[in-house]
Amino acid sequence: MLAGPRAADQQVVAAVAVQQPAGSPAAVDPTADQVTVVDVVSTPAVRTPGALPPGAADPAARNRLPDLAALIETTLRGHLDGDADLRPLLDALDAQLSPDPGALQAVLQEVWDQTLRLGTEASEAAMRGRSWSDAGAVEAGLAPLLTLAPVVTQVASSLLATFGAALPPVTDYPDELQAVMRGMAAFGGGLRDGLTGSGLCELQFYEDIYAKFCTSMQEHMLIASTVVQAGMVVGIGERLVEDLIGIVALILLLSSGPILVAVLCYAGWSLWQAGAEQVARETGGMLAAAAAEPFLKLHAAPVGVEFLFLLGRIMGPVFLDAILFMIGEGAVVAGARNAAQAARMADIWAKLKTFWATLPDVQPLLDKVEAQAFELLDFFKPALATLGTEAEEKFLRLLQRERSDALLAEIRDYVESLTEDPAEATKAIGTILDFLDDLTEEEFAGLLAFDQYRPYSNASPAHPGPQYAEVGWVDLLFIQGMEGSAKELLALLGPIAGRLCRQHDGIRTVLGDYLFGGGKFTGAAGVLLAARRILAERPDAWLRFEVDAGDRVLDIVAYGAEYIWTGEGFRRQYFLQLIAEVKTYPSGTLTQDQYHKLLRQMRKDLVRHATSGDPGLELLSWMIDPVGYQALNEQLRYMFWEALHLEHGNLVNQGVDYLALEVALMERLEAGQLLMPY
């Protein structure tokens, strides 16, 4: 076993050999005691006959960059559209470039720059009309970047395979690549020191990782920085998909997901710039100390592009976690579980801020994140200390649920408006945490939907207050005299929450009727139950409620959806699946007024469908509560026939095949598809 971490200035690799062809004068004896980084980077590369001399530039190759840029853009756009064939681009690079490090690095940088630009454009198109807080929005919005990032590694591997053996020595590379070499070497030393201090494995294990790092970095200096950044994009994307705690809030603060990714990648890129060696070494040590376990995966990674890409995949999420820590959620969890971990993440945050200090547009946003984080954390800490361990555990469980950041802010705003008495505030927080902790996943989905489609209260003797006052989900816990309980409402809303047509307010009317509609409560509950029945039979349907059809308001309209490509990206296009009228008659009887009202509605429905492209009545359904259906099924069937006969002359005059319509009505009634229980 080795004696311990080596001094920073030694930069030593234990028994590392540069992977050169057998018999090459550049080969290093693998049995040698030690090979320093300086030795490795000074070793001349093997060049093919006729190759450019060391350090020479190829003006012809560099002059071709504009043409290659156009081909790169075409290839990347095709990749976004599903064409994964990179061979035309790779063949063009092989044919038009030469072993000129500057030109090769410029081409790879062009691929990376266009990856970020086109990925951002496609993300904006995918998010048009959507919010990053919508279900599945983070995955959809960042999918283009995650699709394009691996292309960089494929291009890098191809360039190395074609030109690697003919490249000049690393010491003859341009100054910017020399800076990358020094920065990455310093980062690798810090990474080794941080891993060594973790105590998870024997020291030789960490020395092996460091050896792979140095070999990968030196042999692939031309592409190392870009490949690591591509890996960061993929790693950040994987982290976003796996865990959305607080991330949506961070994206909203930065205005978009691609900006978040770009800001994090900028931090990685900054490590390899001239004069940043000390910062790179400190950052490598801090990253390894804060999250040693993920970096252990590097031990099994093959030397080269795969190693560098995996390094980026590990670095990206750790950088992201450092920012999330400052939102407050990470701080609470880390502080409750591991004070040392919390301190390390705070150190990383402070270091990252130094990288971003040169970006004037980013710094105010990060200051805002930091300020809001501590504000939110400080608000809840006194109440949790008073309520005790059980409340703290409920609070931590809440942090693990979707959109917890927005819910916590809502709780804070409500409690602050409710009382200035700390004891009353603590009691209210305890009540709210108890309620949230008791929700099932389905009920919690209903709560998030309610928060998105908040109804409005009505001014009435039963519910005094300003008309159209918005009702938040926290209000549900404290409304007096509500017909049904908050949990009952959320249980009804949860199963349909993910299938509501966006930007349609009809569901607000249903929720308002449920809460404040008095006699409309039963009907509103019936509509939510009927919607659940529709989704059970049509799980791909999208639902709208209280749709104005001109002559009457339709209770539920169900649509199918397909995605079509337009010049501005993919757009969701709806097509009609079903129009449902929902009726609730728990008494099992109809009054005379109810009878005539239903008959008028039936006549309107039959005429509308028969004259508007649905002569088979396949898109029409009346859904009745189970008690009412059992008692009134036969009477309602007869009423439909009566309604049809009363509209005979009207239908014939409008050119409807009346006999075919009679057959369609009979078939739909007999099949139990026109009249059914919900």
Side-chain angles (χ1 to χ4, degrees):
M1 182 177 295
L2 300 178
R6 296 186 176 93
D9 58 344
Q10 284 185 283
Q11 301 289 326
V12 177
V13 184
V16 178
V18 180
Q19 302 298 312
Q20 301 287 359
S24 164
V28 180
D29 182 3
T31 63
D33 292 335
Q34 294 178 344
V35 181
T36 66
V37 169
V38 175
D39 292 335
V40 175
V41 302
S42 301
T43 305
V46 177
R47 290 189 291 275
T48 57
L52 292 173
D58 181 2
R62 299 193 181 202
N63 290 337
R64 298 187 186 102
L65 292 181
D67 294 335
L68 290 173
L71 179 58
I72 289 169
E73 178 175 354
T74 300
T75 303
L76 292 176
R77 289 190 183 279
H79 204 74
L80 279 174
D81 292 338
D83 182 3
D85 184 13
L86 300 180
R87 182 45 51 191
L89 173 61
L90 300 182
D91 288 344
L93 297 180
D94 289 350
Q96 299 185 41
L97 295 177
S98 63
D100 174 1
L104 294 176
Q105 195 275 335
V107 165
L108 193 60
Q109 186 64 46
E110 180 69 23
V111 175
W112 176 244
D113 290 344
Q114 293 211 38
T115 291
L116 293 181
R117 179 175 64 84
L118 296 177
T120 299
E121 289 179 3
S123 172
E124 291 173 350
M127 292 303 298
R128 191 168 289 117
R130 300 184 66 179
S131 168
W132 287 95
S133 60
D134 292 344
V138 173
E139 294 92 326
L142 293 180
L145 284 172
L146 300 183
T147 299
L148 291 181
V151 174
V152 176
T153 65
Q154 297 177 57
V155 174
S157 297
S158 177
L159 291 177
L160 287 177
T162 302
F163 301 108
L167 288 170
V170 174
T171 50
D172 290 337
Y173 277 18
D175 291 343
E176 60 268 24
L177 290 177
Q178 296 282 352
V180 171
M181 174 190 70
R182 294 189 296 271
M184 295 196 79
F187 178 85
L191 187 69
R192 179 195 60 192
D193 294 344
L195 291 175
T196 300
S198 69
L200 295 177
C201 303
E202 292 186 354
L203 296 182
Q204 185 60 50
F205 188 89
Y206 308 126
E207 292 293 340
D208 293 342
I209 293 177
Y210 182 54
K212 284 190 173 185
F213 176 89
C214 290
T215 305
S216 299
M217 179 262 294
Q218 301 301 338
E219 294 185 355
H220 303 80
M221 181 53 55
L222 188 71
I223 54 89
S225 177
T226 309
V227 170
V228 169
Q229 289 184 78
M232 289 181 67
V233 170
V234 173
I236 293 166
E238 292 169 342
R239 172 75 167 81
L240 293 176
V241 172
E242 292 173 1
D243 183 2
L244 296 178
I245 297 175
I247 290 174
V248 170
L250 183 59
I251 288 176
L252 292 176
L253 281 171
L254 295 174
S255 78
S256 80
I259 289 180
L260 169 62
V261 173
V263 166
L264 292 170
C265 288
Y266 178 83
W269 176 85
S270 299
L271 291 172
W272 328 130
Q273 302 313 298
E277 291 85 355
Q278 186 59 34
V279 173
R281 186 174 189 87
E282 293 173 359
T283 303
M286 287 191 300
L287 292 180
E293 190 169 348
F295 285 99
L296 301 183
K297 299 176 184 177
L298 293 170
H299 192 271
V303 169
V305 173
E306 291 185 45
F307 183 97
L308 296 169
F309 189 70
L310 178 58
L311 175 63
R313 286 178 60 189
I314 296 170
M315 287 173 58
V318 178
F319 280 8
L320 176 61
D321 284 338
I323 301 183
L324 288 177
F325 172 85
M326 302 312 299
I327 291 181
E329 297 175 347
V332 173
V333 175
R337 303 300 184 205
N338 188 330
Q341 175 81 353
R344 289 170 184 155
M345 296 305 288
D347 288 342
I348 294 175
W349 165 260
K351 187 63 63 177
L352 292 180
K353 285 188 67 177
T354 64
F355 299 149
W356 295 317
T358 57
L359 296 179
D361 295 334
V362 173
Q363 191 62 43
L365 294 172
L366 299 178
D367 291 340
K368 182 179 179 182
V369 172
E370 190 172 26
Q372 290 187 355
F374 289 113
E375 180 185 358
L376 191 62
L377 180 60
D378 289 343
F379 176 80
F380 285 99
K381 284 173 67 175
L384 294 176
T386 301
L387 293 170
T389 303
E390 185 176 352
E392 182 179 287
E393 291 175 351
K394 292 176 181 178
F395 185 80
L396 292 176
R397 283 195 291 270
L398 174 59
L399 293 180
Q400 300 173 37
R401 306 188 91 161
E402 184 180 354
R403 284 166 53 185
S404 59
D405 47 0
L407 299 182
L408 289 173
E410 179 81 6
I411 296 171
R412 179 194 59 195
D413 294 344
Y414 182 86
V415 172
E416 286 180 338
S417 66
L418 180 68
T419 179
E420 295 182 358
D421 182 357
E424 289 296 320
T426 297
K427 181 180 178 181
I429 290 173
T431 299
I432 297 170
L433 289 177
D434 289 343
F435 173 76
L436 292 174
D437 197 61
D438 191 46
L439 295 180
T440 65
E441 289 302 317
E442 197 167 73
E443 291 166 349
F444 190 79
L447 182 143
L448 296 182
F450 186 95
D451 188 53
Q452 184 175 0
Y453 298 99
R454 300 182 181 199
Y456 299 92
S457 64
N458 299 312
S460 70
H463 304 286
Q467 195 165 9
Y468 301 122
E470 191 176 69
V471 179
W473 65 267
V474 183
D475 296 309
L476 296 179
L477 281 64
F478 302 98
I479 292 176
Q480 300 296 320
M482 191 169 68
E483 293 282 358
S485 72
K487 273 182 65 71
E488 289 172 349
L489 173 57
L490 300 183
L492 290 171
L493 189 55
I496 66 173
R499 308 305 300 179
L500 301 174
C501 287
R502 288 188 291 272
Q503 299 176 337
H504 180 71
D505 287 348
I507 187 64
R508 296 182 192 269
T509 302
V510 176
L511 296 176
D513 287 346
Y514 184 98
L515 294 173
F516 310 110
K520 296 181 180 180
F521 159 75
T522 304
V527 167
L528 296 174
L529 287 169
R532 183 165 62 182
R533 167 73 186 269
I534 291 172
L535 289 178
E537 298 178 354
R538 297 173 175 82
D540 63 336
W542 294 90
L543 305 179
R544 293 174 65 194
F545 298 84
E546 299 295 311
V547 179
D548 188 353
D551 58 343
R552 62 177 297 205
V553 176
L554 308 177
D555 290 333
I556 305 175
V557 180
Y559 300 88
E562 59 186 4
Y563 289 89
I564 60 172
W565 175 258
T566 69
E568 297 180 349
F570 284 102
R571 181 172 64 86
R572 180 185 293 167
Q573 180 171 282
Y574 293 102
F575 57 89
L576 187 62
Q577 282 191 340
L578 184 72
I579 297 175
E581 178 67 20
V582 182
K583 298 298 180 185
T584 304
Y585 297 110
S587 66
T589 60
L590 293 177
T591 66
Q592 193 71 9
D593 287 343
Q594 289 173 330
Y595 178 92
H596 289 293
K597 181 179 179 180
L598 286 182
L599 191 61
R600 287 194 300 271
Q601 291 178 345
M602 289 176 176
R603 293 174 67 176
K604 289 181 180 179
D605 282 357
L606 291 174
V607 172
R608 183 190 307 106
H609 283 259
T611 59
S612 302
D614 185 26
L617 305 178
E618 295 176 353
L619 302 179
L620 176 62
S621 178
W622 277 46
M623 307 181 74
I624 318 297
D625 72 281
V627 174
Y629 178 82
Q630 186 72 26
L632 298 172
N633 182 32
E634 290 301 321
Q635 184 177 3
L636 293 174
R637 287 163 61 98
Y638 171 80
M639 291 174 65
F640 262 111
W641 283 110
E642 182 181 4
L644 181 63
H645 293 155
L646 289 171
E647 292 291 337
H648 174 271
N650 182 25
L651 291 167
V652 172
N653 289 337
Q654 295 191 57
V656 174
D657 186 339
Y658 186 80
L659 293 179
L661 184 58
E662 278 191 321
V663 172
L665 178 61
M666 178 177 63
E667 290 178 346
R668 292 282 291 172
L669 287 172
E670 292 300 322
Q673 295 172 324
L674 183 57
L675 284 171
M676 66 178 68
Y678 58 69

